Amino acid sequence: MNTRDTIAAISTPPGSGGLGIIRLSGPQAREIAAAILRLHPNHEWIPWRITHAHLLDEDGAPVDEVLVSFFAAPRSYTAEDVVEISCHGSPVILRHCVARALRAGARAAEPGEFTLRAYLNGRIDLPRAEAVRDLIHATTLYQARVAAQQLEGSVSRAVAPVKTALVELISLLEAGIDFAEDDVEVASSAEIDSRLAAVLDGLGRLLASYSWGKYVHEGLTLAIVGRPNAGKSSLFNALLGEDRAIVTDIPGTTRDTVSEAFSLEGVPVRLVDTAGIRESTDLVERLGIERTERAMADADITLVVLDLSQPLEEADRVLLGRTENMGWRVVVGNKCDLPRRLAEPLEEIAVSARTGERIEDLKRLLVARIAPEGIAAPQSGLITSARHEALLREAQEAAQKAREANALGLPHELLLLDCYAALRPLDALTGATTADDILNRIFSTFCIGK
Ligand SMILES: Nc1nc2c(ncn2[C@@H]2O[C@H](COP(=O)(O)OP(=O)(O)OP(=O)(O)O)[C@@H](O)[C@H]2O)c(=O)[nH]1
Ligand SMILES: [Mg+2]
């Protein structure tokens, strides 16, 4: 992909809107804009100023009245010259504007190419580029807050102290090897161990934030299962806060899975109501039950609903048995507003889907399950990306190996290999450490005297 040409694209979503924006980025941005617009005869390209203009068709007739903003390199989104043309939001006008820009010498931008350029031009690092994508796709405000913090560099900031500690250790080991004859003190095994322990501690903390961060990013699926009439659809509605699924006193009301999105403390949740599980000869009901099975297999968390106002039935026992070893099961006793007739104390929480009693407690319990460490503040540099998690884990393994090598008293040359192996994935995460970084540290922290 050429990264020196000028690219153009519609930056607003498809369909009609009040406004639509065309973005041009690259060395010819101004030239191309001038070719397709009628600007004021005395127009000058003054950075960060908005000017009024007309968008013209091929025959030079105006097709829209537009506002044009100019961002001069390197202080723009892409760090190149950027011109944004704010048109009225008709898809016809927007497509026409891009088509004309292409004829005037622009190239159609690939998906994400503006952000790619910002990255290639060194304006943002990789975690920030990824945050742009997450911000655009946020479906809850909490997700947006986390992504906005990442755009500000929260991930790189959180990783930086670990990386610094590692680079310091590497410099120490390198210096010990390179300048051994010059009476530079070689680091003691205890000192190396405590430095590696600090690195591992930092990595462990970052990785722990992923247990919640993963759900912030990907959301989760919560399936409600139980025998007919246990109150699954009622619980579904109570959690959503709206009458979405049909509720009747006829067992077997829900025949198909019904799903709806809601936000659990900012985590996007897909809530799935299912057909009650029982032996059935009815074809439609049997097909519904098959779908319940699939929903259970796909769910991150399964809510098993028991009817507290009825004795336990065979169908309940079967379901409890089948979900017992699923890590993410919550047994909910429903209808706590009625006299209790369920003898066994099987439920983890008793609620009433009808009155809404303890539904908020149930939500809190679910949050506690997915965030055992508590909900992270968006600015804490929480890890939400599987790519980051994999890299941190790789660093952790290598640092662990280094610690073991140190405990065994292996030569520092070998230890260094593990330390570099731990540094590499962190570099891949936030950007490279150069040999200069290490040399500078060696020469700034040691008085070699040469
Ligand atoms: N008293 C009381 N009744 C409830 C409660 N939850 C549900 N019900 C009633 O129980 C009956 C069944 O409720 P549903 O929500 O349709 O049950 P379901 O589990 O979805 O049933 P199927 O779709 O047939 O499998 C309805 O008459 C509800 O009004 C509750 O907490 N208290
Ligand atoms: Mg139902």
Side-chain angles (χ1 to χ4, degrees):
M1 195 190 295
N2 184 346
T3 55
R4 293 306 317 152
D5 54 0
T6 298
I7 51 175
I10 303 172
S11 290
T12 38
S16 311
L19 296 172
I21 294 177
I22 310 289
R23 202 185 238 172
L24 292 164
S25 178
Q28 287 178 285
R30 279 177 281 181
E31 207 178 301
I32 292 168
I36 66 176
L37 300 172
R38 182 196 293 147
L39 293 157
H40 191 273
N42 301 326
H43 175 261
E44 277 178 64
W45 290 102
I46 301 170
W48 308 290
R49 178 171 297 179
I50 299 171
T51 44
H52 173 263
H54 286 95
L55 176 67
L56 306 178
D57 65 14
E58 281 82 359
D59 305 324
V63 286
D64 194 9
E65 224 183 313
V66 300
L67 291 176
V68 186
S69 336
F70 170 50
F71 306 84
R75 286 176 54 204
S76 74
Y77 183 71
T78 55
E80 304 172 332
D81 275 357
V82 169
V83 173
E84 286 184 2
I85 305 173
S86 182
C87 305
H88 288 101
S90 143
V92 188
I93 294 174
L94 297 174
R95 278 199 300 270
H96 171 76
C97 185
V98 171
R100 294 221 51 213
L102 300 187
R103 247 166 280 144
R107 171 169 66 76
E110 301 290 334
E113 198 175 352
F114 290 96
T115 308
L116 174 68
R117 287 192 170 193
Y119 167 67
L120 292 176
N121 293 326
R123 203 184 66 74
I124 55 174
D125 59 16
L126 221 40
R128 292 191 199 199
E130 293 168 306
V132 172
R133 178 202 56 204
D134 292 351
L135 195 53
I136 292 169
H137 292 126
T139 58
T140 71
L141 209 51
Y142 179 80
Q143 277 184 317
R145 285 195 195 104
V146 170
Q149 290 294 332
Q150 293 177 339
L151 191 55
E152 294 287 306
S154 67
V155 171
S156 306
R157 265 201 307 280
V159 175
V162 180
K163 215 166 147 176
T164 307
L166 200 54
V167 171
E168 264 168 19
L169 175 59
I170 289 175
S171 325
L172 193 70
L173 295 171
E174 290 277 19
I177 292 166
D178 290 354
F179 305 103
E181 312 93 75
D182 300 323
D183 286 344
V184 171
E185 184 129 8
V186 177
S188 73
S189 152
E191 156 138 39
I192 296 171
D193 189 69
S194 89
R195 282 174 183 260
L196 280 168
V199 168
L200 281 164
D201 185 55
L203 289 172
R205 228 159 323 133
L206 287 166
L207 281 163
S209 76
Y210 185 64
S211 62
W212 167 254
K214 165 175 72 186
Y215 294 118
V216 173
H217 187 250
E218 286 160 24
L220 57 86
T221 304
L222 219 160
I224 305 179
V225 301
R227 78 166 138 85
N229 252 6
K232 299 178 296 300
S233 300
S234 306
L235 186 61
F236 178 82
N237 291 341
L239 285 169
L240 287 179
E242 60 175 289
D243 270 341
R244 169 73 176 76
I246 298 171
V247 169
T248 74
D249 56 7
I250 306 162
T253 301
T254 307
R255 294 298 186 97
D256 202 348
T257 50
V258 182
S259 72
E260 202 60 64
F262 85 110
S263 156
L264 189 63
E265 295 287 344
V267 169
V269 175
R270 197 169 73 90
L271 193 61
V272 185
D273 182 22
T274 65
I277 294 202
R278 64 171 169 187
E279 288 295 326
S280 172
T281 49
D282 179 298
L283 177 65
V284 179
E285 190 172 357
R286 277 217 319 272
L287 291 173
I289 293 171
E290 271 172 35
R291 296 203 168 182
T292 300
E293 307 273 345
R294 255 180 281 154
M296 272 165 67
D298 290 345
D300 296 292
I301 301 185
T302 307
L303 292 189
V304 181
V305 183
L306 299 176
D307 184 342
L308 296 175
S309 72
Q310 299 291 330
L312 202 67
E313 287 183 13
E314 185 52 28
D316 298 318
R317 266 188 251 278
V318 170
L319 252 181
L320 286 169
R322 287 198 32 204
T323 53
E324 185 161 22
N325 295 319
M326 285 191 188
W328 298 89
R329 172 183 89 165
V330 178
V331 181
V332 182
N334 187 32
K335 311 196 188 180
C336 74
D337 55 308
L338 296 177
R340 178 168 187 136
R341 288 183 58 211
L342 182 85
E344 300 81 350
L346 290 164
E347 77 278 9
E348 291 166 64
I349 181 167
V351 304
S352 169
R354 182 179 277 176
T355 66
E357 197 180 330
R358 304 203 66 203
I359 294 296
E360 288 308 313
D361 291 337
L362 172 59
K363 288 188 186 172
R364 272 192 283 277
L365 183 124
L366 292 171
V367 171
R369 273 299 156 85
I370 56 178
E373 319 239 334
I375 297 169
Q379 63 276 17
S380 67
L382 113 125
I383 300 300
T384 58
S385 137
R387 185 183 85 87
H388 299 172
E389 198 251 356
L391 291 167
L392 290 167
R393 213 165 274 294
E394 206 181 303
Q396 188 185 43
E397 275 163 27
Q400 192 58 49
K401 270 177 72 185
R403 202 172 179 196
E404 284 156 19
N406 182 49
L408 290 172
L410 296 183
H412 288 180
E413 280 86 349
L414 290 179
L415 245 161
L416 263 174
L417 290 182
D418 290 328
C419 290
Y420 278 113
L423 183 60
R424 265 194 305 276
L426 300 183
D427 279 348
L429 207 164
T430 63
T433 309
T434 62
D436 277 353
D437 291 334
I438 290 169
L439 285 176
N440 285 340
R441 215 169 268 279
I442 293 178
F443 291 108
S444 67
T445 49
F446 296 92
C447 293
I448 306 295
K450 293 200 173 179

